[in-house]
Amino acid sequence: FKETGMPYEDVPVDEAKQKALAESGDLLFGELPMLNDGKINLVEPPAILEHIAQKGDNSASSKNRLLGANEDERSFARSLCSAAQDLRIELFSWVKTNDADMKKKFISVTLPQWFESLDKLAVKSIAEDRGLGPG
């Protein structure tokens, strides 16, 4: 929400609060992060990010097109969000298990591949703004 200029509150949730939210049905699938935006609770980072971007694009205070100006840009934004979610899943896989081999693979293979792709996108965005701004 910060990028949109809209007000928000970041609420820390400990394990007990997470369990209580899950048991009450407020926390879908028992997973964090969760966005509570009045009448809706969203989980899954891609859905949360798209929701925030759409609200930001619709707000009078926003000067950006966070979700893109057309369907091609929106689809590209969804693709980036999905890739970030994949990276997050891999990160938490080894963090939760503390598996040394998973950590080694994440650091030596996954991160370099991900950042290489992101770097290529940033370089490409110099000529055509793909949502990263000028280069």
Side-chain angles (χ1 to χ4, degrees):
F1 278 99
K2 184 176 181 180
E3 293 294 323
T4 67
M6 294 185 303
Y8 69 95
E9 180 183 5
D10 190 8
V11 179
V13 176
D14 61 18
E15 286 184 42
K17 174 83 172 178
Q18 183 176 354
K19 184 178 179 182
L21 285 167
E23 289 173 355
S24 71
D26 289 331
L27 184 58
L28 298 174
F29 313 114
E31 295 182 13
L32 291 173
M34 178 183 79
L35 170 70
N36 174 283
D37 190 15
K39 296 179 182 177
I40 187 171
N41 288 342
L42 290 174
V43 296
E44 297 298 326
I48 292 169
L49 291 173
E50 186 168 340
H51 180 78
I52 292 169
Q54 184 66 51
K55 286 195 80 149
D57 286 353
N58 291 338
S59 83
S61 65
S62 181
K63 298 176 192 134
N64 298 319
R65 297 298 307 163
L66 300 171
L67 196 54
N70 56 52
E71 187 53 40
D72 287 347
E73 290 180 9
R74 283 187 287 280
S75 294
F76 190 76
R78 288 182 193 107
S79 177
L80 286 175
C81 190
S82 180
Q85 175 68 354
D86 291 346
L87 183 67
R88 179 181 178 270
I89 288 168
E90 281 202 47
L91 169 67
F92 283 106
S93 292
W94 72 260
V95 167
K96 286 181 179 180
T97 63
N98 203 21
D99 182 286
D101 291 334
M102 289 175 82
K103 179 179 179 180
K104 183 177 178 182
K105 179 184 178 262
F106 182 82
I107 291 170
S108 65
V109 177
T110 305
L111 276 181
Q113 286 175 347
W114 205 84
F115 283 113
E116 180 181 346
S117 295
L118 194 59
D119 187 54
K120 286 178 184 175
L121 175 62
V123 169
K124 186 176 182 177
S125 77
I126 292 171
E128 56 179 79
D129 185 4
R130 299 291 299 224
L132 294 179

